[in-house]
Amino acid sequence: MARGDSDDKADRILRDVGATVVAAGASAAASYAAYSYLNSQAAQARRVIPHRTDSAPNGDGVYYPDGRGPIPYSRDMDIDVHLAVYGDSTAAGLGVETAEETPGVQIVRNLVRETGKVVRYSNKAIVGATSKGLEAQVDASLITRNRPDVAVILIGANDVTAVNGVRASAHRLGAAVRLLVDEGSKVIVGTCPDLGMVTAIPQPLRSVIRQYSLRLAAAQRSAVRSNGGRAVPLADVLAKEFLASPAHMFSPDNYHPSAAGYALAASILLPEVLDAVGEWEGPLPVPPEVSEVAESRKLVNRVKRLVSLGMGSQTG
């Protein structure tokens, strides 16, 4: 090979390597910029949504068809159904002022009204809990021989905000469901809601969190069903109402539901609860599993619509 040809080849190699280095550097810079931006938005979201350490109202006790309750439970009481709730602050009912407004008590009141049964209610949910603490909640109730006939689980939002792994979080939920099922409980799980409906979280972080929460909900659904539980997707049914009327559906902290928000969630879960105790006739309702409303509000789709409108105005 001539020296000139060798020099040309060396120059081309150096240019290619240089271009690769520049491209990699630009990509790394862009990734770092995106990471820094999302971190700043996460910090902003944490300022908007306060860290709650208070407890939800306690509605534990026995509820009667004549409206009495909650009456403290004792082992000599005759009850028809024992319903327990496990999970996080949403399961506990954080954000409302009275026990009557929490999702568990709203489910129990409706269960008593629809069936005429005497129902014992136990709320085992813990504010701030993730799937990592769910099995401990279940163990704590089973070790005292307080197996529920029906268990309702609401968990997942804190796994999203804590960035816990999707597969690991779903696996832990499945393990808790299996514990209860093996003890003879009917288990109903409200899967992770679409956190894209929390408008207090700024874009584009909200879109990222939304995708994470929907992925977790899908993984939860599979884990629940494979372990003998019943999965109720909460995403779209809640998102439509919450996005349409956030002031009404959210509590003052802009994150946890209000009494109206919890009432909506309770109404979605109630048919499965009634079916679990043999009091539902006909097919169960099938709520949507993907949030079409929040999908339409994704940042990328909003940009596409704006571009389409702009092109339309130019051609008109």
Side-chain angles (χ1 to χ4, degrees), residues 195-263:
L195 296 186
M197 66 187 179
V198 184
T199 55
I201 300 173
Q203 289 285 18
L205 179 64
R206 181 153 36 105
S207 289
V208 174
I209 288 178
R210 174 184 179 272
Q211 291 299 323
Y212 199 103
S213 62
L214 293 181
R215 283 177 54 217
L216 178 57
Q220 286 180 328
R221 183 172 64 250
S222 177
V224 169
R225 290 175 177 174
S226 64
N227 283 283
R230 305 162 181 236
V232 180
L234 297 179
D236 199 49
V237 181
L238 294 181
K240 285 182 179 179
E241 299 290 341
F242 277 73
L243 287 169
S245 184
H248 180 59
M249 303 303 287
F250 281 107
S251 67
D253 68 9
N254 297 311
Y255 185 77
H256 294 94
S258 65
Y262 282 132

Side-chain angles (χ1 to χ4, degrees), residues 10-75:
D11 289 342
R12 286 197 301 273
I13 292 173
L14 288 172
R15 285 197 301 270
D16 291 343
V17 170
T20 301
V21 169
V22 170
S27 177
S31 297
Y32 179 77
Y35 175 80
S36 298
Y37 182 60
L38 289 176
N39 265 349
S40 69
Q41 290 216 311
Q44 180 181 341
R46 285 192 290 270
R47 288 193 295 271
V48 173
I49 302 170
H51 176 64
R52 301 285 295 267
T53 57
D54 48 327
S55 299
N58 184 2
D60 285 16
V62 179
Y63 293 76
Y64 291 86
D66 62 7
R68 288 179 296 152
I71 295 173
Y73 170 75
S74 62
R75 292 190 179 274

Side-chain angles (χ1 to χ4, degrees), residues 116-132:
K117 293 181 182 294
V118 178
V119 180
R120 177 191 173 192
Y121 171 59
S122 304
N123 193 333
K124 304 299 183 182
I126 298 174
V127 173
T130 70
S131 61
K132 293 180 179 179

Side-chain angles (χ1 to χ4, degrees), residues 15-312:
R15 285 197 301 270
D16 291 343
V17 170
T20 301
V21 169
V22 170
S27 177
S31 297
Y32 179 77
Y35 175 80
S36 298
Y37 182 60
L38 289 176
N39 265 349
S40 69
Q41 290 216 311
Q44 180 181 341
R46 285 192 290 270
R47 288 193 295 271
V48 173
I49 302 170
H51 176 64
R52 301 285 295 267
T53 57
D54 48 327
S55 299
N58 184 2
D60 285 16
V62 179
Y63 293 76
Y64 291 86
D66 62 7
R68 288 179 296 152
I71 295 173
Y73 170 75
S74 62
R75 292 190 179 274
D76 61 346
M77 285 181 166
D78 291 325
I79 62 169
D80 299 311
V81 177
H82 178 198
L83 185 146
V85 171
Y86 303 89
D88 55 22
S89 57
T90 303
L94 191 64
V96 296
E97 298 297 325
T98 68
E100 291 292 321
E101 297 171 318
T102 61
V105 172
Q106 294 198 56
I107 289 172
V108 168
R109 286 290 190 194
N110 282 298
L111 176 60
V112 171
R113 189 178 301 116
E114 292 285 340
T115 66
K117 293 181 182 294
V118 178
V119 180
R120 177 191 173 192
Y121 171 59
S122 304
N123 193 333
K124 304 299 183 182
I126 298 174
V127 173
T130 70
S131 61
K132 293 180 179 179
L134 187 59
E135 193 169 335
Q137 293 180 24
V138 173
D139 280 335
S141 61
L142 296 181
I143 201 169
T144 57
R145 299 182 181 178
N146 282 309
R147 176 193 65 82
D149 300 300
V150 180
V152 175
I153 300 175
L154 299 174
I155 198 82
N158 291 332
D159 283 289
V160 173
T161 56
V163 201
N164 291 334
V166 168
R167 290 180 61 186
S169 298
H171 178 76
R172 288 189 287 263
L173 171 59
V177 170
R178 175 53 61 185
L179 275 177
L180 287 161
V181 169
D182 287 347
E183 290 293 325
S185 301
K186 302 291 180 64
V187 185
I188 297 145
V189 177
T191 55
C192 186
D194 182 350
L195 296 186
M197 66 187 179
V198 184
T199 55
I201 300 173
Q203 289 285 18
L205 179 64
R206 181 153 36 105
S207 289
V208 174
I209 288 178
R210 174 184 179 272
Q211 291 299 323
Y212 199 103
S213 62
L214 293 181
R215 283 177 54 217
L216 178 57
Q220 286 180 328
R221 183 172 64 250
S222 177
V224 169
R225 290 175 177 174
S226 64
N227 283 283
R230 305 162 181 236
V232 180
L234 297 179
D236 199 49
V237 181
L238 294 181
K240 285 182 179 179
E241 299 290 341
F242 277 73
L243 287 169
S245 184
H248 180 59
M249 303 303 287
F250 281 107
S251 67
D253 68 9
N254 297 311
Y255 185 77
H256 294 94
S258 65
Y262 282 132
L264 177 59
S267 70
I268 297 167
L269 294 164
L270 182 62
E272 288 283 0
V273 173
L274 289 170
D275 189 63
V277 298
E279 295 287 347
W280 182 268
E281 296 183 3
L284 287 163
V286 182
E289 299 184 0
V290 176
S291 177
E292 295 177 3
V293 175
E295 179 72 23
S296 69
R297 297 197 177 200
K298 280 177 63 177
L299 182 62
V300 63
N301 289 334
R302 286 159 52 198
V303 170
K304 286 180 180 178
R305 285 198 300 272
L306 289 172
V307 170
S308 298
L309 289 173
M311 293 178 65

